[in-house]
Amino acid sequence: MSSLLIAWQLKDKNVLIVGGGEVASQRVDSILPTGAHIALLAPSDGLNPRTRCLIDEHSDSITYYDRRFSGPDDLIGADMVLTALDDVDLSRDICNICRTAKIPVNAADIPDACDFYFGSQIRDGPLQIMISTNGNGPKMANIIKERLQKALSGLEGQAITKVGALRALLKIRAPGVGGAVSKRRMKWMSSLCNAWTLEELVLLDDAMMQKLLDVGWENDRIPTFEEVGGRRPEPDYGNPLVPQAIGFIAGALLAFYLLKLGRRKWRSLF
Amino acid sequence: MSSLLIAWQLKDKNVLIVGGGEVASQRVDSILPTGAHIALLAPSDGLNPRTRCLIDEHSDSITYYDRRFSGPDDLIGADMVLTALDDVDLSRDICNICRTAKIPVNAADIPDACDFYFGSQIRDGPLQIMISTNGNGPKMANIIKERLQKALSGLEGQAITKVGALRALLKIRAPGVGGAVSKRRMKWMSSLCNAWTLEELVLLDDAMMQKLLDVGWENDRIPTFEEVGGRRPEPDYGNPLVPQAIGFIAGALLAFYLLKLGRRKWRSLF
């Protein structure tokens, strides 16, 4: 059976992490970029140095409680619970309470108690890629992640940001959810993404976006990059002083050699 | 803000899909492989041909109700709700009821009402890869998906299956959750995945797995593929009759030519 891979929204939600070891620090890493508020429950003598460091550095996002899990009341207000404990029985107990309270829960290293699993991730701005082996091999997920990373050009995140900005402008110009306008918007955006390269999308600026909508959207066609005023940056050859100096020296050496050769030839002639 | 990408478990859970159009059919596609039971609510006159086809083909997984959404009672027992409706107000109403009942909900085309988003997916056996642009461009997710697909060798799914089987055997030999044994297992499996190629992992069979555990795990080292009896398949050159026939003809022609040449030489000698 496979999982349903989804992008869960946690902005302004409350996430409770029970435990303070290495896995807990990885959970904090996963949750911090989502904009959730984290409550971390662990006795300070069991805190991993990295977890302690994260708590100190992100005190605006993390509230730390220096104590053990004490019962169902600890879960009040939580929108998601992550346990990272060595105590398997306690972890299972917490999962059961969560299930009754309908709070999504993940228990590290106890797959059958989890509502959801984590996976390897690639992030590049608004782009997020998750690799899951459905619990068959976390290391394999990492190996595949590295392979996929090499296949990305590094421009994807920036291109998506520009496409998102253009899409927002288009929604202002042609508003409405669902129905014909929604379909036309989707089709036009899709054609643009197909027609333009990643490099061209990255170079989109405000003026070009306006022109794209004026010339393209209004006439239901996809203008080229050049048509909306797109200009590729001049190739950058770096500091010109070094090649200049090399050229100067080479020229001087050649002149010197020719002069010498010339003199000898003259000598041989006369 | 970015999402938390997770692999949600739906085996034997109840998923309610409200709507029967094209998006509803895509939702059914996403949910079917998870082993969930699907309830689909939509008047039959609004059913998309593909949705109708899926309902007919997967009657063991999908229960179809030929009617509109009628109120909170429709959500009783649901573990997840997906709306795929043109009626934005109704979609928002359903989302609100879900939120009160703490049922995770996704409303197609209304991002701010969703607990989670879908993304582009790659599947290969136990391997699942999700590409999310955090709502900035579904088409860009597709373009990146195609690029990533090309970077995969096609052996990843099979290799993960073999690694999962070996891991299960190792857990029987060295049981226990958490603590030192868990860490040693993880480290050994991880070293194996690093040392062996995908091709070698795919060729793992039962006997090799046993030998790997006997020789490798027990002595805390990683044997080579050959050491545990691994054999790469002979390269397959296809049917040998054709090259044989070509060889025969070439041989005959050469003999014929040499004989002729020989005769001429003899003649020229005598």
Side-chain angles (χ1 to χ4, degrees):
Chain A
M1 282 308 158
S2 66
S3 312
L4 182 71
L5 299 203
I6 50 179
W8 197 266
Q9 302 308 299
L10 282 174
K11 195 174 172 338
D12 301 325
K13 302 273 176 173
N14 297 310
V15 177
L16 174 70
I17 300 177
V18 189
E22 195 190 330
V23 177
S25 74
Q26 292 165 6
R27 295 296 180 254
V28 173
D29 287 336
S30 300
I31 303 296
L32 273 177
T34 65
H37 191 87
I38 301 172
L40 196 143
L41 212 67
S44 63
D45 57 0
L47 275 192
N48 175 287
R50 258 211 81 227
T51 311
R52 193 182 296 269
C53 188
L54 286 166
I55 292 169
D56 291 342
E57 275 176 17
H58 300 276
S59 54
D60 50 334
S61 308
I62 309 176
T63 312
Y64 170 56
Y65 299 92
D66 179 4
R67 60 174 178 81
R68 296 188 183 280
F69 179 79
S70 64
D73 281 359
D74 282 345
L75 305 180
I76 292 172
D79 297 298
M80 175 175 274
V81 173
L82 313 172
T83 77
L85 298 163
D86 278 338
D87 184 339
V88 179
D89 293 332
L90 177 58
S91 246
R92 282 196 185 277
D93 285 348
I94 296 173
C95 288
N96 289 334
I97 303 168
C98 286
R99 210 137 290 136
T100 311
K102 292 192 144 201
I103 304 168
V105 62
N106 171 282
D109 223 16
I110 322 178
D112 66 287
C114 293
D115 288 324
F116 60 91
Y117 304 149
F118 289 90
S120 277
Q121 279 205 43
I122 299 172
R123 275 175 201 274
D124 174 13
L127 174 66
Q128 284 181 268
I129 297 169
M130 179 195 189
I131 301 109
S132 166
T133 63
N134 281 290
N136 282 279
K139 184 65 200 174
M140 291 302 290
N142 266 325
I143 291 173
I144 292 164
K145 172 186 158 174
E146 279 162 27
R147 188 171 285 208
L148 296 183
Q149 245 162 345
K150 280 181 200 149
L152 295 170
S153 68
L155 293 174
E156 288 81 4
Q158 292 174 64
I160 291 166
T161 303
K162 294 297 175 75
V163 167
L166 179 66
R167 214 162 158 237
L169 286 176
L170 177 55
K171 271 192 180 172
I172 295 168
R173 187 177 286 230
V177 177
V181 69
S182 207
K183 267 186 195 143
R184 209 195 126 199
R185 271 199 321 250
M186 212 181 291
K187 209 182 143 210
W188 188 79
M189 286 299 307
S190 177
S191 306
L192 175 76
C193 293
N194 271 331
W196 283 36
T197 64
L198 279 186
E199 290 74 11
E200 289 171 341
L201 291 171
V202 167
L203 291 168
L204 260 177
D205 61 22
D206 293 348
M208 287 168 71
M209 286 189 199
Q210 286 304 339
K211 209 163 174 187
L212 249 178
L213 295 178
D214 291 342
V215 181
W217 168 258
E218 300 297 345
N219 299 306
D220 204 14
R221 63 180 202 85
I222 306 296
T224 64
F225 175 71
E226 288 77 13
E227 208 180 331
V228 296
R231 275 188 207 175
R232 263 161 271 270
E234 293 287 316
D236 180 14
Y237 295 119
N239 188 338
L241 277 179
V242 175
Q244 227 166 41
I246 294 173
F248 176 81
I249 294 166
L253 285 173
L254 183 69
F256 186 73
Y257 173 76
L258 285 175
L259 277 172
K260 246 181 112 174
L261 192 80
R263 257 190 223 160
R264 255 188 228 154
K265 281 228 170 132
W266 286 328
R267 266 184 214 158
S268 73
L269 277 173
F270 306 101
Chain B
M1 282 308 157
S2 67
S3 314
L4 182 72
L5 300 202
I6 50 179
W8 197 266
Q9 303 307 300
L10 282 174
K11 195 173 173 336
D12 301 325
K13 301 272 176 175
N14 298 309
V15 177
L16 174 68
I17 299 176
V18 189
E22 195 189 329
V23 177
S25 73
Q26 291 165 7
R27 296 295 180 253
V28 173
D29 287 335
S30 299
I31 303 297
L32 273 176
T34 65
H37 191 87
I38 300 171
L40 196 144
L41 212 67
S44 63
D45 57 0
L47 276 192
N48 175 287
R50 258 210 81 228
T51 311
R52 193 183 296 271
C53 187
L54 285 166
I55 292 169
D56 291 343
E57 273 175 17
H58 301 276
S59 54
D60 49 334
S61 307
I62 308 175
T63 311
Y64 170 57
Y65 299 91
D66 179 4
R67 61 175 177 81
R68 296 186 183 282
F69 178 79
S70 64
D73 281 0
D74 282 345
L75 304 181
I76 292 171
D79 298 296
M80 175 174 275
V81 173
L82 314 172
T83 77
L85 297 163
D86 278 337
D87 184 340
V88 179
D89 294 331
L90 177 59
S91 246
R92 283 197 185 276
D93 286 347
I94 296 173
C95 288
N96 290 335
I97 304 169
C98 286
R99 209 137 292 136
T100 312
K102 294 193 140 200
I103 305 168
V105 63
N106 171 282
D109 223 15
I110 321 178
D112 66 285
C114 292
D115 289 324
F116 61 90
Y117 305 149
F118 290 89
S120 276
Q121 280 206 41
I122 299 173
R123 276 175 200 274
D124 174 14
L127 174 67
Q128 284 180 266
I129 297 168
M130 180 195 188
I131 301 109
S132 166
T133 63
N134 281 289
N136 281 280
K139 183 64 200 177
M140 291 301 291
N142 267 324
I143 289 173
I144 292 164
K145 172 185 157 173
E146 279 162 27
R147 188 172 284 206
L148 296 183
Q149 245 162 345
K150 280 181 199 148
L152 295 169
S153 69
L155 293 174
E156 287 82 3
Q158 292 173 65
I160 291 166
T161 302
K162 293 296 174 75
V163 167
L166 178 67
R167 212 162 160 238
L169 286 175
L170 177 55
K171 270 192 180 172
I172 295 169
R173 188 177 286 228
V177 177
V181 69
S182 207
K183 267 185 198 145
R184 207 196 128 199
R185 270 199 322 249
M186 215 181 290
K187 207 180 144 213
W188 188 78
M189 286 299 307
S190 177
S191 305
L192 176 75
C193 293
N194 271 331
W196 284 36
T197 65
L198 279 186
E199 290 73 13
E200 289 171 341
L201 291 172
V202 168
L203 291 168
L204 261 178
D205 61 23
D206 293 349
M208 286 167 72
M209 287 190 199
Q210 285 304 338
K211 210 163 173 187
L212 250 178
L213 295 179
D214 292 341
V215 181
W217 168 259
E218 300 298 345
N219 300 306
D220 205 15
R221 62 180 202 84
I222 307 296
T224 64
F225 174 72
E226 288 77 12
E227 207 180 331
V228 297
R231 277 189 205 174
R232 266 161 269 271
E234 292 287 318
D236 180 13
Y237 296 120
N239 189 337
L241 277 179
V242 176
Q244 226 166 43
I246 293 172
F248 177 80
I249 293 166
L253 284 173
L254 183 69
F256 185 73
Y257 174 76
L258 285 175
L259 276 173
K260 248 180 112 174
L261 192 81
R263 256 191 222 159
R264 258 189 227 152
K265 281 227 170 135
W266 286 327
R267 268 186 214 157
S268 71
L269 278 172
F270 307 101

